[in-house]
Amino acid sequence: MRTFVASWPGRIAIVLLVAAVGGGAMVARSTSTAPKAEIRTAPVTRGNVTQTVTVSGSVNALGQARLAFKTGGRLAQIYVTTGQSVAPGQPLAKLDTTDLEAALATAQQNLSNAQASYQKQLLAASDTRKALEDAERSTANDIAAAQSSLNKIRSNYSAAKTNFASLTTAALADLSAYKTAIDTLRTQTQQALTDLSIYGTSDVNSARNALNTADGALANAQVYASGLLAGAMSEHTASRDTLQATVAQFAAAIASGAATSPAQSAYQTAHLNYNVTLAKLQSAIDTVSTQVASAQTSVNSALASLNSATSRPITTFDTARTSLGIAQASFTTQNVALATARTKLTQAATPLGTMADAVGGALLNATTALTSAQDRAATTLRNAQSAVANIPFNLQSAQVSVDNANNAVATATSNLDNAVLTAPAAGIVASIANQVGEFGAGGNTNNAFMVLTNTTTMMLHGTIGESDVAKLKLGQVANITVEALGGARMTGKIASLDPVATISQGVPVYGIDIAIDVPAARR
C-alpha cells in the first residue's frame, strides 16, 4: 500500500511565550562621595518573554482511514485519484448497483405482500369473530329445533299412551255394559210376551210370534256375549296390557341409555298380537250385534201389530205396548252404546300409530338427533373458538413478517446506499487498491480499497535536551517552525512530556508530543 503523506523529519524550533513583569528603579552606592546623580523613572508594564526550544523529531498525520465497501462487488466508478484532497462526505467510488437495486425492489415487493397479508389477517380476524357469533346462534338454533322436535314427539308419545289406554278401557267398559244390557232386553221382551199371553186376536198372535223370535235372537246374543264376546274381550285386554308393558320397557331403555332393540322387538310382537285380538273382538261384536239387531226388528214388528188399525183402540194391550216401548228404547240406547264402543276401538288406532312411530324409531331418532346437534355444536364452537384464540398469534406472525420485510427493505436500502463509498473526514487519498470493473472486497479494512490520510490534525513526536525540559509544561501553547518544510509555521499545545529522561547516544533526552491544531500555510 502506498502512503501519500509521509512524516516531516528534521529539527523543529519551538518558540514558547512566557508572560513576565519587568521594571523598577536601580540605585547604585559607594563609600566615596560621588556627585549627585540624575534619577530616571519609567512605568511598569506586562509583556511576553519568548523562549526557543529545538526539538528533534518528525511531524506526522494523526491517523489514516482505511476504507472498504461494506459488501463486495464490481467497481462501477471511481471518483477520485491518488493524492487528491477530499472533503467529509465526498463520494469516492461506487459499486455496480444492478443486483442491489433488484434486491431492493424484491424487498419492497415482499414488504407490500407482507402488509397485504397483515391486512388480510385483520379482515380474517373480524370474519373469524363474526363466524364464532354466527356459530353460536346457528348451533343454538339447531339444538333448540332438535330439542323442540324431541319434546313434541315425547309429548305426542305420552298423550298417545294416555289416549290409547283411555279409549280401550272405555270401549271395553261399554262392551261390558252392552253384555249386561242384552239380559235386560230379553227380560223386557219376555215381559211383553207375558202381557200378551191371555189374548188371542190375530194381531196379538202376530205380535206374540215376533216376540218369540226376538226372544230367541236375544237368547243367542246372550250365548255369544257370554262366550265369544267375553273371550275376545279378555284376549284384547291381555294383549293391550302386554303392549303397554313393552312401551314401558322401551321408555325405560331410552331413559337409561340402554339398547332399545330388545324392547322394540317385543313391542312389534305385542302390536301384532293386539291387532289379532282386536280383529277377534270386532268379529265377536258383529256376531252379538247381529242377533240383537234381529231381536230389535222382531220387537218393532210386534209393536207394529199391536198398533194396527184394529188393535190400536183396544186399551187392554196398553201394558204390552208400554213394555215393548221400553224395550224398543233400550235397543236404541244400546245401539248407540255399541256404536260408541266401536268408535273408541277405531279411535284407539290413532294413538297406537303414534306409539308405533315413537317406538319404531321416531323417539330414538329425535333423541339421537338432539345428541348429534349438541355434538356438532360443541365441535363447531370449539373450532370457532380455537380460530378466535389464534387471532393474536396470526396477527403477531403477520406483524413479524411485516417487521422482517421492513428490515429487509432497510437492509437493501442500506446496501444500495453503501454501494457509494464516501469520505468519513477531510483528507488526502493515499492509495486506491482496485480499478473500475474489478471486484472489490468488502467488509474488511485489512484489505482496504482506499486509504485516506487525515491532514486536519498533526502530531509532533520528538525529543528535547535536558536543559530545555524545565522550560516546558503540559498544555503550554507553542508556535512551531518546521525546517523540513522550509520554515512552515504551525500552532499547537504540548500534549505529553516524559517525566524521566532516556539516554540516547549517551545524552539524556526527554520525549515530547505536541498537537498541531492550526497548521499555517508554507512561507
Side-chain angles (χ1 to χ4, degrees), residues 143-179:
I143 291 175
Q147 184 66 64
S148 176
S149 178
L150 177 59
N151 292 342
K152 182 177 180 180
I153 291 175
R154 283 176 174 172
S155 176
N156 293 340
Y157 175 55
S158 177
K161 290 191 295 182
T162 301
N163 292 338
F164 176 74
S166 175
L167 289 170
T168 55
T169 299
L172 290 172
D174 290 342
L175 290 176
S176 295
Y178 182 68
K179 283 172 53 183

Side-chain angles (χ1 to χ4, degrees), residues 145-161 246-261 263-264 267-268 351-372:
Q147 184 66 64
S148 176
S149 178
L150 177 59
N151 292 342
K152 182 177 180 180
I153 291 175
R154 283 176 174 172
S155 176
N156 293 340
Y157 175 55
S158 177
K161 290 191 295 182
T246 59
V247 169
Q249 291 174 4
F250 175 78
I254 287 287
S256 64
T260 59
S261 54
Q264 288 174 313
Y267 175 83
Q268 296 299 329
L352 181 60
T354 301
M355 292 165 56
D357 290 341
V359 175
L363 183 58
L364 182 60
N365 291 341
T367 302
T368 302
L370 176 59
T371 302
S372 298

Side-chain angles (χ1 to χ4, degrees), residues 412-480:
T413 302
S414 176
N415 290 339
L416 184 58
D417 293 340
N418 292 332
V420 176
L421 185 65
T422 58
I428 297 176
V429 178
S431 65
I432 301 174
N434 300 98
Q435 297 179 357
V436 172
E438 294 181 345
F439 183 85
N444 186 355
T445 57
N446 291 332
N447 297 319
F449 161 69
M450 186 177 293
V451 176
L452 291 183
T453 298
N454 183 353
T455 59
T456 60
T457 303
M458 310 293 286
M459 183 66 74
L460 166 62
H461 303 283
T463 59
I464 59 176
E466 189 175 20
S467 61
D468 292 329
V469 70
K471 302 175 183 179
L472 307 177
K473 62 180 179 179
L474 293 176
Q476 196 168 15
V477 177
N479 291 323
I480 302 166

